[in-house]
Structures are given as C-alpha cells and as structure tokens.
Amino acid sequence: MEQTALRPKPMPGQEPGEGRGGGGGGKSGPVRRPHAARRRGRRLTTLLSGLLAAAVLVLSGVGLGTVGATVIGMSKLAELRRHAGPHQSGSPGARHPDPAGSNAPPTTPVPPAPAVATLGLEAVDAEKTGALVVGVHVPGPGYAAGLVRGDVVLALGRTRVDGAEDLARAVAKARVGHEVMLTVRHRGGGHQQLTAVPGVVT
C-alpha cells in the first residue's frame, strides 16, 4: 500500500514553495500587498471629499442665513422709515431743515381708536335668512353664550340679521361689556334666545 505525503497548503500571499519549511530553502520575506496601499488611498480620498462637502454645506448654510437676516433687517428698516414719515426718510445722518422753525409746537398724540365689539364668531350667509355660524372661538363671548357651529343667528337685540354682514354691523354697534340678546335657530330647527356679552380683540 502506498502512502501519500501530506503537503501543507500555502498561506495567502505566498508562493507554493515559500512555506516555513519549504523545500526550496529560500527565506520567506515580508509579503507585499499593493492592493492595501490602493485601499488606503481610496479611503483617504473619500474622507477628504466628505470633509470638503461638509465644509461647503456648512458655509452655504451660514451664507443663506446671513442673506436671510439681511433681507429681514432691511424690510424692517424700510417699514420703520415708512412709519416715521417723509420728514425723517433718507439717510440716518442727514438733517432736513424744519420749514416751520425750531420753535414749532409739538404734535398732539392721536387718540386710540375706539374698541370694536366682537362675539368671537365666524359666520357666513345662511341658505334662507340669518348668519350661519361656522366657527366659535374658545374661549370667547359666543362660546360663553352657548353658540355652537351650525347655529343660525336671526337677530341681535332688536336688529334683524339677514346675513353675515348684518351680524357684523350689529355686533360692531353693540357696546362692549353690555349684554345683548341673540335669537338663534339651532341645527335641529328649534329656536332659542341667548344672552351674550360682547368683548374686544386685543
């Protein structure tokens, strides 16, 4: 019976005759791996490309933010100049001569506009007559009075309401803080009188 000699398989990167106890008797030196250097180069290139892209994105975001802040600031400045009036327009350091002289009387302050009453409702014209309530602000005078979405306001006090405009005019004429009587038709068809106290929007 013949016996076959077992030969060790070469390690990766070694030639068949370069084993530790190889029959060639040659010395096994360090194995060169050219593909490892290529991988390192690719990784370095990818890393540098990523850093460059991140820097570009950050700088473009900062630039966009700066431009946005400048535009907003310029619009606010233009609005302030518009409110300041024509005599103060122009460059901030420019002085315009006062035609009335330096001892002109100061302007009197404008009295505030009178408060307009509101019920805190959103209404549209109903199909037949009245103002259909499509929204009730919570909290609000209409909500406190018991109005709900789908109610139709037919009268406010002694004023008949044929549509949403009539309701708006009647509410604007009402006195803030004084009770008013609302005649309402509910969605189910029933009529009811509710008491509301108009408020103001601040």
Side-chain angles (χ1 to χ4, degrees), residues 81 83-91 94-99 107:
R81 284 185 180 172
H83 286 300
H87 64 281
Q88 291 184 0
S89 61
S91 61
R95 293 184 179 178
H96 299 283
D98 188 5
T107 58

Side-chain angles (χ1 to χ4, degrees), residues 125-130 132 185:
D125 292 340
E127 289 181 11
K128 295 180 181 178
T129 183
L132 174 66
R185 183 177 68 236

Side-chain angles (χ1 to χ4, degrees), residues 43-59:
R43 286 179 188 162
L44 185 61
T45 304
T46 305
L47 179 65
L48 290 176
S49 300
L51 288 174
L52 180 65
V56 167
L57 287 174
V58 167
L59 291 176

Side-chain angles (χ1 to χ4, degrees), residues 60-152:
S60 63
V62 169
L64 287 174
T66 305
V67 169
T70 304
V71 168
I72 291 171
M74 292 302 287
S75 64
K76 291 286 186 186
L77 181 62
E79 186 178 340
L80 288 173
R81 284 185 180 172
R82 202 175 316 124
H83 286 300
H87 64 281
Q88 291 184 0
S89 61
S91 61
R95 293 184 179 178
H96 299 283
D98 188 5
S102 59
N103 52 359
T107 58
T108 58
V110 179
V116 179
T118 181
L119 288 178
L121 301 176
E122 295 173 21
V124 296
D125 292 340
E127 289 181 11
K128 295 180 181 178
T129 183
L132 174 66
V133 177
V134 294
V136 181
H137 296 197
V138 179
Y143 176 77
L147 285 169
V148 294
R149 218 170 125 188
D151 288 346
V152 177

Side-chain angles (χ1 to χ4, degrees), residues 181-200:
M181 192 67 67
L182 295 170
T183 304
V184 178
R185 183 177 68 236
H186 294 296
R187 188 177 291 180
H191 288 68
Q192 185 179 7
Q193 293 215 334
L194 303 172
T195 303
V197 180
V200 293

